[in-house]
């Protein structure tokens, strides 16, 4: 088989366009495809609609002026509850928002993956989610109960960016985290899905226990990027934990006048290899402990 | 860290946070078999205490991905190894939420007289808020699907607002917001545990904004003090009593579950449970 979907992070960003709707997998400080996000930060892309269970990637993209619109239920880094650059952008009115319930968000991705126009849910009824998103409609059950639901519209993505533990060049992926989260739904909701991976091999030859950790089919995957520690500073269990020291520093930068510019100068305006060296190097990163809650 | 003989267990020295943990645990009494989700230090310890005392039938997670029958202590665990009994990924938490078998307790930024809650934005306009918090998170779905209680470490008019909350995230008993056909059968708001009192929604007419009712006052707190710290009129139970102090057994469990004393950060200044009268 001639399939080889390996590409560089720059290749991925080269296939994205300004104005696209881009879904980002993970959840808060968990399993964010940060190497791909950093490549977007280095690019000329702009006017993006970002769809995410938001963590620091949302704050960074907002700080860099890449975001036109944000579709989200929250943005947080958990240990640091309030994401500083998201807050700045939100409070400045610098971004359009579609703020929805976490479950509505999942339903929107599912609807897109199933090629449905919407899926019904009670989540959002009687809240300001409907009032603040006048494009959201309700639908009445055609059955005897006549119940009224939110018709959660499909969240169709031009591209999805995900991070996994292992992949092969055909586009098969394994997620070894305790919680696979909703990454598979992002893959299904997207026209094209790009995956960064800790390890990359030509072709998997797995035992059954490992093969069960494959959560979406390779036909959904357009590109695979070998990016060790590619989720840093978020965590990617079981390989490494979050880098609280780095996240605190990132958080503190928002309090300085040129904090973002300084963060960019140090951690973005460089190659990914340089980034990892500046973040402490592979030896340090491999020892980062997964968080205890 | 499990040596109970070395910890102080006198109720005389209980902190307000410990009293609130005991009060919070009551939210989960007689709920039956459901997922108890206490988000934050006091709610989590409250749920854990409930499971270890009056309600062993509760389901709990390790606050991450796995179900446990023995509540997990907070913070670094030393040589403690969790014993998992099942799996509860985020995906499955959503399925649990929509099926209704859950009772969550969280700390909203704002609460109004209808029990509506806000975790999104405060002040200014929606487009340009004075303060952006987290977002509505799962509050719309939680509130319309299963039991919910609330934790407030700083009872005051900025939390218990005079009008509606700035961004209704969790829904409540506000009739105008429920159009015909919208089902509120599963809306069931239970306890609000604050640093001053315990409240419920048993007031004279919760659908008219008169639901919030003081059930008990913490030691040294008067009803007038609670009312003055609330942006709307509160009801009170006829036999308004003092919130019970933790027992020695409860204190021992709390201290074992929180070996690093994270609960000392839950209420500003970590005051004692019995405060000098104002």
């Amino acid at each position: 088989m001639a399939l080889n979907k390996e590409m560089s992070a720059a290749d991925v960003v080269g296939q994205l366009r300004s104005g696209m709707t881009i879904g980002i997998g993970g959840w808060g400080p968990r399993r964010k495809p940060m190497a791909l996000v950093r490549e977007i930060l280095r690019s000329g892309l702009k006017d993006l609609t970002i769809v995410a269970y938001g963590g620091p990637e949302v704050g960074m993209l907002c700080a860099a002026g890449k975001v036109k619109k944000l579709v989200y239920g929250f943005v947080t880094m958990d240990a640091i509850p309030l994401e500083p650059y998201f807050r700045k952008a939100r409070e400045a009115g610098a971004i359009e928002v579609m703020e929805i319930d976490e479950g509505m968000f999942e339903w929107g991705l599912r609807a897109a993956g199933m090629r449905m126009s919407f899926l019904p849910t009670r989540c959002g009824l009687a809240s300001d989610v409907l009032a603040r998103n006048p494009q959201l409609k309700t639908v009445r059950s055609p059955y005897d109960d006549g119940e009224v639901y939110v018709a959660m519209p499909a969240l169709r993505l031009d591209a999805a960016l995900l991070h996994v533990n292992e992949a092969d060049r055909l586009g098969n992926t394994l997620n070894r985290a305790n919680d696979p989260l909703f990454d598979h739904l992002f893959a299904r909701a997207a026209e094209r899905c790009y995956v960064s991976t800790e390890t990359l091999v030509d072709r998997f030859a797995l035992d059954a226990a490992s093969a069960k950790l494959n959560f979406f089919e390779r036909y959904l995957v357009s590109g695979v990027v070998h990016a060790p520690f590619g989720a840093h500073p978020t965590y990617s269990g079981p390989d490494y934990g979050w880098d609280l020291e780095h996240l605190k520093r990132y958080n503190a930068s928002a309090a300085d006048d040129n904090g973002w510019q300084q963060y960019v100068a140090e951690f973005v305006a460089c190659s990914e290899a340089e980034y990892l060296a500046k973040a402490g190097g592979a030896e340090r990163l491999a020892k980062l402990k997964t968080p205890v809650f | 860290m499990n040596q109970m003989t070395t910890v102080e267990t006198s109720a005389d020295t209980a902190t307000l946070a410990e009293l609130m943990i005991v009060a919070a645990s009551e939210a989960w009494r007689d709920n039956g078999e459901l997922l108890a989700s206490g988000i934050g230090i006091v709610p989590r310890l409250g749920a854990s205490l409930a499971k270890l005392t009056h309600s062993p039938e509760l389901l709990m997670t390790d606050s991450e991905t796995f179900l446990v029958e023995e509540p997990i202590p907070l913070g670094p665990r030393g040589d403690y190894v969790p014993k998992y009994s099942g799996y509860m990924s985020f995906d499955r938490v959503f399925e649990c939420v929509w099926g209704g078998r859950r009772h969550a307790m969280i700390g909203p930024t704002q609460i109004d007289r209808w029990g509506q809650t806000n975790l999104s934005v405060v002040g200014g306009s929606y487009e340009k808020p004075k303060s952006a918090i987290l977002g509505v998170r799962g509050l719309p779905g939680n509130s319309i699907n299963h039991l919910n209680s609330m934790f407030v470490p700083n009872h005051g008019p900025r939390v218990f607002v005079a009008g509606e909350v700035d961004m209704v995230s969790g829904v409540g008993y506000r009739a105008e917001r429920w159009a015909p056909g919208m089902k509120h059968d599963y809306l069931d708001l239970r306890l609000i545990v604050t640093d001053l009192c315990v409240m419920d929604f048993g007031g004279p007419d919760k659908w008219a904004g008169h639901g919030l009712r003081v059930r008990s006052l913490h030691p040294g707190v008067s009803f007038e003090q609670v009312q003055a710290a609330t942006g709307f009129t509160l009801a009170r139970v006829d036999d308004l009593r003092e919130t019970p102090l933790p027992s020695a057994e409860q204190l021992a469990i709390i201290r074992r579950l929180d070996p690093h004393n994270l609960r000392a950060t839950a209420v500003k200044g970590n005051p004692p449970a019995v405060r000098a009268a104002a």
Side-chain angles (χ1 to χ4, degrees):
Chain A
M1 193 153 33
L3 280 176
N4 181 359
K5 294 177 181 168
E6 184 179 6
M7 56 173 69
S8 68
D11 293 335
V12 171
V13 171
Q15 294 194 5
L16 305 178
R17 296 288 174 267
S18 291
M20 274 189 169
T21 297
I22 297 178
I24 300 178
W27 175 293
R30 299 164 174 82
R31 188 172 283 281
K32 288 292 177 180
M34 297 305 294
L36 301 180
V37 169
R38 281 187 284 273
E39 200 60 32
I40 292 176
L41 296 176
R42 293 176 192 119
S43 77
L45 289 174
K46 57 180 182 168
D47 296 329
L48 301 175
T49 293
I50 298 296
V51 180
Y53 289 114
E57 86 287 7
V58 168
M60 291 183 191
L61 290 165
C62 285
K66 302 294 188 192
V67 183
K68 176 168 182 277
K69 181 179 177 182
L70 180 65
V71 180
Y72 72 113
F74 61 83
V75 181
T76 184
M77 299 189 285
D78 279 12
I80 304 167
L82 303 173
E83 215 296 338
Y85 290 105
F86 157 72
R87 296 191 86 191
K88 279 192 177 187
R90 184 75 182 82
E91 291 167 10
I95 51 172
E96 295 172 35
V97 295
M98 178 183 184
E99 182 182 5
I100 53 176
D101 171 79
E102 294 166 359
M104 292 172 73
F105 189 108
E106 184 199 334
W107 238 214
L109 293 179
R110 282 194 185 275
M114 291 190 276
R115 302 177 294 177
M116 300 280 290
S117 50
F118 71 91
L119 283 172
T121 174
R122 287 192 190 98
C123 305
L125 291 175
S127 78
D128 270 332
V129 168
L130 290 191
R132 297 300 183 187
N133 294 285
Q135 77 277 20
L136 295 176
K137 309 291 186 196
T138 58
V139 61
R140 184 176 294 274
S141 163
Y143 298 103
D144 289 345
D145 60 280
E147 188 172 348
V148 169
Y149 300 103
V150 174
M152 179 59 208
L155 291 173
R156 294 191 188 85
L157 310 174
D158 294 311
L161 308 178
L162 309 175
H163 186 73
V164 301
N165 302 88
E166 298 174 36
D168 71 13
R169 289 187 168 81
L170 303 182
N172 293 301
T173 56
L174 295 188
N175 184 335
R176 292 192 179 274
N178 287 338
D179 192 333
L181 304 172
F182 302 96
D183 287 5
H184 58 296
L185 299 182
F186 283 88
R188 295 188 193 287
E191 282 292 316
R192 302 173 72 79
C193 173
Y194 302 97
V195 178
S196 58
T197 180
E198 295 294 328
T199 65
L200 179 64
V201 298
D202 275 336
R203 188 181 293 216
F204 280 160
L206 305 168
D207 59 22
S210 288
K212 280 175 73 177
L213 304 176
N214 168 249
F215 293 95
F216 50 91
E217 306 81 68
R218 66 169 160 78
Y219 61 67
L220 295 165
V221 176
S222 296
V224 181
V225 177
H226 186 211
F229 304 104
H232 181 273
T234 69
Y235 73 90
S236 181
D239 296 325
Y240 49 91
W242 55 13
D243 192 342
L244 270 184
E245 201 179 304
H246 188 100
L247 289 173
K248 282 177 182 166
R249 188 167 165 192
Y250 161 72
N251 183 54
S253 75
D256 298 337
D257 281 345
N258 294 310
W260 173 246
Q261 287 72 18
Q262 284 165 16
Y263 184 87
V264 168
E266 182 160 10
F267 293 112
V268 179
C270 60
S271 70
E272 191 64 12
E274 287 166 332
Y275 170 84
L276 293 176
K278 287 176 177 182
E283 200 173 330
R284 173 180 178 268
L285 301 189
K287 286 183 194 148
L288 290 171
K289 289 204 170 72
T290 47
V292 170
F293 290 93
Chain B
M1 75 187 174
N2 291 335
Q3 290 295 312
M4 277 187 277
T5 50
T6 63
V7 296
E8 178 59 64
T9 55
S10 165
D12 297 338
T13 60
T15 66
L16 182 58
E18 289 164 344
L19 173 139
M20 292 166 75
I21 290 163
V22 172
S25 82
E26 287 299 317
W28 284 284
R29 188 187 286 274
D30 298 328
N31 285 183
E33 272 188 290
L34 50 66
L35 180 66
S37 297
I39 315 290
I41 294 167
V42 167
R44 178 171 160 188
L45 288 169
S48 301
L49 181 64
K51 182 167 172 58
L52 287 173
T53 54
H54 52 75
S55 300
E57 66 275 18
L58 293 168
L59 282 76
M60 285 191 71
T61 72
D62 60 350
S63 293
E64 188 70 1
T65 316
F66 296 107
L67 289 165
V68 291
E69 291 299 337
E70 183 177 280
I72 304 271
L74 271 66
R77 291 170 192 163
D79 50 12
Y80 179 87
V81 179
K83 295 179 277 293
Y84 302 133
S85 52
Y87 186 53
M88 195 45 95
S89 62
F90 287 5
D91 187 24
R92 272 175 67 172
V93 171
F94 285 173
E95 291 177 8
C96 165
V97 167
W98 301 333
R101 297 289 289 267
R102 183 176 189 234
H103 185 168
M105 181 185 286
I106 67 142
T109 307
Q110 292 180 322
I111 301 169
D112 65 26
R113 70 187 69 190
W114 301 277
Q116 299 178 128
T117 53
N118 177 19
L119 205 57
S120 167
V121 290
V122 171
S125 65
Y126 181 70
E127 293 71 25
K128 222 170 164 175
K130 184 157 176 289
S131 180
I133 320 294
L134 297 176
V136 295
R137 292 221 67 153
L139 268 57
N142 290 353
S143 55
I144 204 169
N145 278 301
H146 60 65
L147 306 183
N148 284 278
S149 291
M150 303 163 205
F151 164 71
V152 177
N154 52 339
H155 193 137
R158 287 165 58 134
V159 177
F160 293 98
V161 293
E164 270 199 313
V165 295
D166 289 348
M167 169 76 179
V168 176
S169 311
V171 299
Y173 305 108
R174 180 138 165 87
E176 297 92 313
R177 286 186 170 268
W178 297 86
M182 293 183 183
K183 189 171 183 170
H184 48 64
D185 296 18
Y186 308 129
L187 168 65
D188 192 345
L189 304 178
R190 294 292 178 95
L191 293 188
I192 304 182
V193 177
T194 83
D195 57 331
L196 297 180
C197 65
V198 178
M199 298 186 282
D200 65 16
F201 287 85
D205 188 355
K206 66 185 178 189
W207 284 100
H210 304 299
L212 262 181
R213 176 179 74 164
V214 179
R215 275 168 75 109
S216 70
L217 297 164
H218 299 344
V221 177
S222 68
F223 178 81
E224 291 67 32
Q225 193 181 340
V226 173
Q227 181 59 75
T230 306
F232 47 87
T233 304
L234 293 169
R236 55 192 285 178
V237 295
D238 293 336
D239 57 338
L240 190 53
R241 295 181 192 180
E242 200 167 84
T243 311
L245 287 166
S247 70
E249 184 208 355
Q250 288 166 329
L251 280 178
I253 293 172
I254 291 168
R255 287 164 185 178
R256 179 162 55 80
L257 287 168
D258 182 22
H260 306 290
N261 199 20
L262 299 179
R263 64 194 179 284
T265 64
V267 183
K268 194 178 176 187
N270 194 29
V274 180
R275 283 172 288 196

